[in-house]
Amino acid sequence: MKLQEQVVLITGGSRGLGLETVKAFAREGARVVINYFHSEENAYELQNQIGERAIAIRADVRNPIQVREMFAKAKKHFGSPITTIVNNALVNFKFDPVAKKDAFFIEWEDYHAQLEGAIRGALNTVQAGINDMKEIGYGRIISIGTNLFQNPVVAYHDYTTSKAALVGFTRNMANELGQYGITVNMVSGGLLKVTDASSATSEEVFQLIENTTPLRKVTDPAEVADAVVFFASPWARAVTGQNLIVDGGLVMK
């Protein structure tokens, strides 16, 4: 399916990487669903910028009822079901190396909060969308990961563990859903410069990344967004179950 024919849901699509991903799909002519939870003003401003091929819908991805309602609203609005899901929403997390909890103080509740956002959120969107995808014989599911679970330069225990679990989720879904024409992949950026989540990161940390990355620059959200669009494009039609690291070569695999 051409990008212009797709209806693309981007969770957490009103800011940071989500916002750049919305822009990237809109640039290619796709219809976009801008999911938000708190950032209503940003979401509607982005919708207005894009125009009639965009709709902003509020939903907490952790809530399966709200997610199903979001899918129904999008289908009614565009007259077509969501064909492409980008699981990007990040729930209550900041990349703050000073304020983060270390091994002595991290609690199960911290892990649980990030697993709820990453795994339950992805499960809710997938289950809300796969019946329509199966019916039309086409679907694209792309989740946002991180290079930190392969190279935890900062031990963000709860966040990194949830993203590592998301790799297993991605590959199991890819194995089971491929028979219906649905691909499931993952795009893992590094620490991006700059999003709301990375705003607490010091310039010294960014400089360290820049100096040790082959491309000698910190990856920005638009660069990761373009890789997400690739997985939804016809050029990735035979790719599934993969985790593409987009970080300027900091992690090579």
Side-chain angles (χ1 to χ4, degrees):
M1 184 180 289
K2 295 179 181 178
L3 289 166
Q4 298 91 328
E5 300 169 338
Q6 296 181 31
V7 177
V8 185
L9 165 69
I10 300 95
T11 67
S14 62
R15 57 198 178 101
L17 175 56
L19 181 147
E20 292 297 333
T21 304
V22 168
K23 288 182 177 179
F25 275 105
R27 179 193 68 214
E28 299 300 325
R31 292 164 288 177
V32 291
V33 181
I34 307 163
N35 162 252
Y36 70 95
F37 185 39
H38 294 301
S39 304
E40 181 176 24
E41 183 176 346
N42 290 351
Y44 280 99
E45 180 180 344
L46 184 57
Q47 174 188 294
N48 292 335
Q49 288 176 11
I50 295 170
E52 62 183 13
R53 296 184 71 82
I55 181 173
I57 304 177
R58 184 183 187 277
D60 182 348
V61 296
R62 297 166 295 184
N63 185 312
I65 295 173
Q66 292 184 24
V67 171
R68 288 195 297 269
E69 290 175 347
M70 173 171 60
F71 273 70
K73 288 178 183 177
K75 185 176 183 179
K76 181 178 180 180
H77 178 81
F78 288 120
S80 302
I82 289 171
T83 62
T84 306
I85 298 168
V86 181
N87 291 309
N88 166 74
L90 179 61
V91 178
N92 300 328
F93 188 83
K94 289 278 188 182
F95 296 100
D96 188 336
V98 176
K100 78 173 189 70
K101 293 184 179 180
D102 63 17
F104 295 92
F105 294 100
I106 193 81
E107 299 177 6
W108 169 245
E109 287 72 20
D110 299 309
Y111 285 99
H112 186 260
Q114 290 307 308
L115 288 165
E116 282 268 301
I119 306 303
R120 189 176 188 184
L123 177 62
N124 287 339
T125 61
V126 168
Q127 289 186 332
I130 55 175
N131 285 331
D132 280 330
M133 291 179 178
K134 179 181 176 181
E135 184 175 335
I136 64 177
Y138 179 92
R140 297 290 179 264
I141 299 166
I142 305 127
S143 293
I144 301 302
T146 180
N147 65 359
L148 286 170
F149 81 84
Q150 291 161 303
N151 183 30
V153 290
V154 178
Y156 294 116
H157 297 278
D158 44 355
Y159 170 80
T160 304
T161 300
S162 73
K163 293 299 188 180
L166 195 56
V167 177
F169 176 91
T170 295
R171 290 176 175 160
N172 280 286
M173 287 294 180
N175 183 46
E176 189 166 324
L177 299 180
Q179 61 188 307
Y180 306 120
I182 302 169
T183 65
V184 190
N185 290 290
M186 191 167 174
V187 174
S188 292
L191 191 64
L192 304 180
K193 189 175 183 180
V194 178
T195 66
D196 287 356
S198 67
S199 60
T201 302
S202 68
E203 189 57 39
E204 288 76 15
V205 170
F206 280 128
Q207 191 62 53
L208 176 64
I209 295 171
E210 183 175 317
N211 292 340
T212 55
T213 297
L215 291 183
R216 296 298 188 268
K217 68 181 294 292
V218 180
T219 308
D220 66 51
E223 291 168 324
V224 178
D226 285 344
V228 175
V229 173
F230 163 73
F231 274 128
S233 75
W235 294 280
R237 61 190 179 276
V239 183
T240 196
Q242 302 304 313
N243 175 34
L244 178 63
I245 304 169
V246 183
D247 65 358
L250 183 62
V251 173
M252 296 188 182
K253 185 175 182 296

